[in-house]
Amino acid sequence: MSTTFTIDTATSRATPTPAPMKRLTVPAIQRRKVDGRTAEPLVMLTAYTARQAQLLDPHCDMLLVGDSLGQVIYGLPSTLPVTLDMMIAHGAAVVRGSYHSVVIVDMPFGSYEASPQQAFASASRILAETGAAGVKLEGGEAMADTITFLSQRGIPVMAHIGLTPQAVNALGGYGARGKSEAEHAKIVGDARAVASAGAFAMVVEGVMEELADIITDAVAVPVIGIGASARCDGQVLVAEDMLGMFERTPRFVKRYGAMAETISDAAARYAADVRSRAFPTADQVYRPKK
Ligand code: KIV
């Protein structure tokens, strides 16, 4: 799919304006899984900014404004300090920068766990203030009532089970889940619970491959894997991981770019040009017309 943005050159950054086009919908995403199978896997990437959304959107079915933005762009030690206002600001930017993908915004830690009513207040702000199509929240069986409450009130919910980063303190780290029989059974139970509660899809993160396969077969809604299995109904990665923005590549990431090297190299060449007065040249300065 090619990018169909037209460039508005009146603005200082020539911001592309999306060509009018019908956006994918949550029901359309759900319908991709037929009789327990998804013929064409769903493509999801995280996006946090309008420009990033413009570049990723034509290639994706869903863009996730993940609370991973806390670590990726704010340099926070975990996702726990991320606020609802941060998610709303970035969610609105990603909606403005996309025209095709379904945009899902993460509900940050502390904005939904207390009660279904608290979750509704936060989720309704997200949808109203960003224009996103749905929210994602972490947790399995314990979140089932909240998922039902939201879905019955017009808020599409993507669940997130397995390794749930907002529970890092309880889990003791970011290691893969589902290694013991008890944990395996608990995660399968979580998957069934969130699907029955009305989640339109679920992210399954950081679990044993076999467990991801069992979950994918066990539920009727699309299962989006990250560190899970190629047999999931779709895959998601943090875009910056996939683009090679970081030196460390976690096991579940495949690098499709080398952004860290590209940026460092460009900055080094710019710095050298400034220091040697090779930049700016006559091409980059204003002179009276002759
Ligand atoms: O916050 C995030 O980016 C996520 C994905 C890793 C699934 O939840």
Side-chain angles (χ1 to χ4, degrees):
M1 193 184 305
S2 67
T3 306
T4 55
F5 287 97
T6 54
I7 306 295
D8 175 3
T9 48
T11 64
S12 63
R13 288 275 174 302
T15 310
T17 307
M21 183 186 191
K22 246 185 142 211
R23 204 184 268 280
L24 283 172
T25 62
V26 164
I29 295 293
Q30 235 180 327
R31 282 196 301 270
R32 293 271 290 272
K33 187 163 182 174
V34 181
D35 296 332
R37 261 191 51 75
T38 303
E40 190 191 348
L42 290 154
V43 179
M44 182 158 93
L45 279 171
T46 61
Y48 313 128
T49 66
R51 182 62 183 141
Q52 188 185 25
Q54 285 161 355
L55 296 172
L56 303 178
D57 180 55
H59 310 285
C60 291
D61 300 302
M62 289 183 279
L63 290 175
L64 171 66
V65 187
D67 60 354
S68 52
L69 62 78
Q71 289 140 308
V72 176
I73 58 174
Y74 285 93
L76 294 167
S78 73
T79 56
L80 302 192
V82 173
T83 66
L84 193 54
D85 286 341
M86 286 159 79
M87 294 311 300
I88 287 172
H90 288 277
V94 169
V95 170
R96 282 194 294 271
S98 61
Y99 64 93
H100 164 74
S101 305
V102 169
V103 178
I104 302 297
V105 177
D106 256 346
M107 298 190 70
F109 180 65
S111 72
Y112 64 95
E113 301 88 333
S115 66
Q117 288 76 9
Q118 184 209 22
F120 184 82
S122 302
S124 57
R125 264 198 71 195
I126 291 176
L127 262 52
E129 294 178 37
T130 67
V135 296
K136 177 165 81 56
L137 56 81
E138 295 184 10
E141 213 173 335
M143 282 297 130
D145 287 348
T146 296
I147 292 171
T148 303
F149 193 87
L150 297 184
S151 343
Q152 288 181 346
R153 286 162 180 76
I155 298 181
V157 180
M158 175 179 280
H160 183 153
I161 61 166
L163 169 60
T164 47
Q166 291 175 12
V168 62
N169 290 311
L171 299 175
Y174 296 103
R177 316 301 303 170
K179 291 181 186 161
S180 72
E181 249 176 62
E183 208 171 75
H184 179 112
K186 158 90 174 77
I187 296 171
V188 175
D190 282 342
R192 291 190 197 281
V194 296
S196 320
F200 78 90
M202 69 187 77
V203 165
V204 176
E205 176 169 359
V207 298
M208 297 290 110
E209 183 185 34
E210 186 204 2
L211 173 53
D213 292 344
I214 290 170
I215 291 170
T216 305
D217 292 337
V219 298
V221 297
V223 173
I224 313 297
I226 172 165
S229 166
R231 276 196 51 217
C232 289
D233 302 297
Q235 303 293 329
V236 60
L237 281 178
V238 168
E240 281 76 357
D241 283 342
M242 177 280 283
L243 292 167
M245 269 296 260
F246 299 104
E247 278 67 26
R248 183 175 159 266
T249 308
R251 179 177 174 80
F252 57 86
V253 171
K254 181 172 172 186
R255 266 173 165 237
Y256 291 86
M259 288 295 289
E261 289 87 337
T262 303
I263 291 172
S264 298
D265 178 58
R269 287 187 292 115
Y270 166 75
D273 277 3
V274 170
R275 291 187 180 116
S276 66
R277 300 197 189 279
F279 172 83
T281 66
D283 288 345
Q284 288 108 23
V285 295
Y286 297 99
R287 289 176 180 168
K289 281 202 180 102
K290 287 191 186 132

